[in-house]
Structures are given as C-alpha cells and as structure tokens.
Amino acid sequence: MENFYITTPIYYVNDAPHIGHAYTTIACDAMARYHRLLNHSVKFTTGTDEHGQKVYKAARDSGIDPQLFTDEVSKRFRELVATGSNILNVTNNDFIRTTEDRHKKAAQQFWKRIKDNGFIYLGAYSGWYSVRDEAYFQESELVDGKAPTGAPVEWVEEQSYFFKLSAFQDKLLEFYEKNPDFIIPASRYNEVVSFVRGGRNYEQGALKDLSISRTSFDWGIKVPDDESHIMYVWIDALTNYLTSAGFPDTDSTDWLTYWGTKEKRNCTHVVGKDILRFHAVYWPAFLMAAELPLPKQIVAHGWWTIEGEKMSKSLGNVLTPHAMIKEAGSIDALRYFMLRAMSFGNDGDFSKARLNETVNAELSNNIGNLAQRTLSLIQKNCNGSIPQPDGLTSVDESLFQKVREFVEKYHENMKQYSFREAIEQVIGISSLANEYINSEAPWKLKNDNPKRMNTVLHNILKILGIIGILIQPFTPDAADKLLTQSGIKPENRSFLIIPKLIELTISELSEIISKNLPAPEGIFPRIVSL
Ligand code: ME8
C-alpha cells in the first residue's frame, strides 16, 4: 500500500487565523482526501508554532503570560480543524503545538543528533533580525533599511550557536539535481537552486552558517546542555513534522510508515512561497546533518491578495475564515472557490464578486442543474427507481470516451497539485452532460421512446456518480449529498469505482448503486448577495 504524509506549516499564534491559513489547510485536506480515495494510507497534520520573539512580543503587548496567551490563540486555530466536526471540514489526524512536551523532547533530540555529528558550534552573531519574519538578514539583503519583505529589522548582537550550513551547499545541489520534483512548481525549484548556487560564488553568499539559538529572551525550547540558550524558532518549528511522526522513536511504525526511509521518502510539505527557503534549503540541510531521511516533496503555493490588495492589519482587510464562510453560504462553497480561483504556483485574488460568480455559475447552474434535472426526471418518469438502459448509441459511446479523458486529466492535474485545472475537468464533464441532456431531451421521450429515455437518464445518472466521486476532495458535504441522491452507496465512493461506472450497466452494479433513489433536494445553493 502507498503511504502518504502531508503537512501544513504550523501557524504562528501571534494573531488569529485568517483566510491565508485556511487556504493552505484546505489545500492539504483536498490532497489528503484525494489520496484516501486512491486507497492510500494517509497521515495529515497541522498545528501551531508557539515560540519565538514574535509570539513572545504579542503576549507581552497583551500583558498575558506567553503560555496562557498561546493556549488562547492556539484554540482559535484548533477550532478550525478539530477532530470530528470542524469549521473548515478538514480531516487532519494530528494537531501539534510546539509547547507540548512530546515536541520539546523531539526538538532537543534533533539538536543533539546534529551536534553529535559535528555541525553545531558556539560563536557570536551580530547582524539584522526581523521579528515579523523570524529571520536573520545580511546587510546586503536589506532594501531601504528593511527586510526584503518590508518588515522592520533590529540589530542583534549575542552569543549564539551556529549550524554549519556552508557544509551542505554541494550536498544540497546534488540532491536537487537527482530529485527534480523535490520542489514544485518548477519555477520555485529553479529559484531555490539558484539561491543555493549563489552561496558558492559570492563571499556574502546565501549559504553562510546559520545562527540557531537566542539568548536575549527565553520563550523557546532550551538548548540541550546549555540552558542559557533557547533554540531559534525555525529549527524548533520545522522539527514538528518529525514529532508528529513519532520522532525520536525512529523504529516506530508511524515513523517508518509516514516519515519513511532514505529509500522511500513519504512526506510532503505544503507551504506558502514566503517560507520556501526554510523548507527547501535549511530543513533538508538540518536533516542531512542529523542523518535522517528527507521529505519527499515541497509544494509551494502563491499568495492571496484581497480585492487586489495585499492583506494586512494596517489596511484593515484581513479576512477571517468565519466571515468568508458566512459570505459564501457554506464551507463547501468557500473551499471550492479557493481551490478553483488560485492557479497553482501563482498568486490569487480573493474577491467577493468572483466568489459569488464562480459558485453560482459552476456549482449551482452547471452541476446543480444537471443533478436537479436528471434526478427529478427519474423521480417523475421512473418512479424514483433506476432506469435500465437499452443499448448504447455511438453518441453515448463518445460521451463516455470523453468522460474517460476528463478523468485522466483530472488525475494528472491532482498529482501536480493543480486543483484549479483538476476542477476544470469536473466542470468539463458536467458541461458535456448538460449538452447531452439538452440534445437528447429525455423529457420529450416519455411517450414516444421510453427505452431511449431510460438509456439517456441511466447514462447521466452514472455521470452524476462520477462527478460526485471526483468532487469529494473539494466539496465533501455536497459531494456526499450528490452521491447519496445518485444512489452510490457510501462504501463505494473511491476512484476505483469510476471505471466500473463507465464500463458496466447499473443492473450489473447492484453492489455499488441502490435500486431506488431518494427524492431529490438542492445540492449546491446559490449565493444570494446581500
Ligand atoms: O510562517 N496567502 O507561520 P504563519 C496564502 N510559523 N497563504 C498564506 C497567506 C496569504 N496571504 N498568509 C499566510 C509561519 N498564508 C511559520 C511556519 S512551519 C515549520 C512554520 C499561509 O502563521 C501560507 O501557508 O506566518 C504561509 O506559508 C503560512 O500561512 C504562514 O503562516
């Protein structure tokens, strides 16, 4: 069996969750659901990043003890993804907080492994630090006295442990070369490779040794054997992916199944482009230093703007997931829009007008109408029992051939995290079936040619089942309703059923499809603008 481990970044708890956090989590959920539908064994984790100067400062500004502060803010992230029923309707198996004991233990063991292998040494750091980015910058990297992200920087001089990042330049380049799919999309892969190459050529190069401890505040995990230092928040945070897979117990089933081995790497990190360098450069170098297997893939997505503007507190346009679910009418509609509107690797714009337009045109008018028309005809003309076909015409054969091609493209796109294009294939199937029902006009056939009417309705019912199966990763609740109303039994909704639905008649599929259909109900409500 294939094993698939997928992770979101763990989010900072300096502030409440917003739509950007919701997006990455929903994208990972769509992928986790996709792999389950391929009958793979899936682990999906998310969580909160609770240490570091940014969170410490937010707690201090609120006048609350950092632990109590992080307990409170982390709760707002947890309610988005809580096991059972949750606001984003995601199916994560774990939620990790970096203030948990299991994580502190893992981070300290990770540090020890790197230290024992000779890649950590004590020195002194003097340079710029951006609290907002939790990142160090060299003088040459500053733009108008600020970090490249526009965040303010402060001068830091302190004793610090360093990680010998410079020792990993060639090893990283060799690894990227051997694994061209390690970072997707390819444009981001090229960006990372040239960043790492840069370190070889310039004295002020990218791959200078990295400061990995702090002494000027103490909100963090203590460095083993030197309690005057806490770990740099990124080495602490990245280790969460190991903690959740059972580290330091590298013999555990969870570790071997999901983190994997050097020969069979299983973990995929999905991140925003803002934190690609940490995941694609520092993290593999840390893992190489600790002699642990690397992740399988880093997937970097683009950035959301809101109505054409960067989302920021100062502009007052930060959208919460709660507000947007209300606007969209359901979590399904919000999930659909986000996965449909952002083209993989590029930035996306979140506009309420486009949200309404996309949901109404594609879900309500296209798929919703197809379902409504077909299911009510079956109810009215066939007493709600599944119509039996009477031989396929060449039009029917070509319809199914096109469906097959759409399904194939759907999978090709999903494998590349191209949700937008994968959804386009589902809409393609629905548009095709709408054209078919329009030209075959089964509502006119009841008296003249009931056998043909039955065949046409039978064909569309199967296509509704296929659409329902394919749309499960994106709109799980609506997909469930569509499948139930199309008679597809709950235990038969994996991708393996699709070829059967295409090849066999419904009477040959009695294991999969119920005999009678429930009375049809609306599946994709329209968004009515207030
Ligand atoms: O960086 N558009 O946490 P963070 C799209 N704790 N995605 C967005 C977004 C936007 N406008 N804004 C945020 C951290 N995101 C670290 C991670 S992991 C070991 C440590 C998403 O709370 C996107 O996934 O700043 C981005 O990478 C992440 O939130 C940053 O979350």
Side-chain angles (χ1 to χ4, degrees), residues 155-307:
W155 184 256
V156 172
E157 277 187 29
E158 59 190 352
Q159 193 192 48
S160 172
Y161 284 96
F162 282 83
F163 171 67
K164 279 192 198 168
L165 183 60
S166 53
F168 289 90
Q169 188 161 23
D170 290 337
K171 290 190 186 87
L172 285 170
L173 288 171
E174 192 188 328
F175 180 78
Y176 301 142
E177 200 174 314
K178 279 200 190 135
N179 298 278
D181 291 334
F182 181 59
I183 302 156
I184 58 166
S187 55
R188 299 282 171 213
Y189 171 89
N190 295 334
E191 206 177 282
V192 168
V193 171
S194 72
F195 171 80
V196 175
R197 268 210 196 107
R200 182 186 297 165
N201 301 329
Y202 305 107
E203 204 191 322
Q204 282 290 314
L207 291 202
K208 287 176 68 158
D209 291 349
L210 187 70
S211 166
I212 51 164
S213 74
R214 306 289 312 263
T215 46
S216 50
F217 67 103
D218 68 355
W219 181 238
I221 299 178
K222 298 222 180 306
V223 164
D225 305 323
D226 189 347
E227 301 227 325
S228 59
H229 288 249
I230 53 161
M231 292 182 197
Y232 170 41
V233 66
W234 268 101
I235 191 165
D236 159 352
L238 286 160
T239 313
N240 94 84
Y241 304 130
L242 307 184
T243 310
S244 189
F247 187 79
D249 184 358
T250 51
D251 293 325
S252 67
T253 318
D254 228 28
W255 176 267
L256 296 168
T257 309
Y258 295 113
W259 190 259
T261 59
K262 286 198 170 121
E263 291 68 42
K264 183 95 185 55
R265 294 173 284 116
N266 282 336
C267 183
T268 296
H269 303 308
V270 179
V271 297
K273 63 180 183 182
D274 53 323
I275 54 174
L276 180 59
R277 186 187 294 188
F278 296 97
H279 284 81
V281 181
Y282 304 157
W283 181 227
F286 292 156
L287 288 163
M288 284 174 179
E291 290 184 272
L292 290 170
L294 267 52
K296 181 175 179 189
Q297 197 166 49
I298 317 287
V299 178
H301 65 70
W303 210 239
W304 284 101
T305 51
I306 309 293
E307 311 285 350

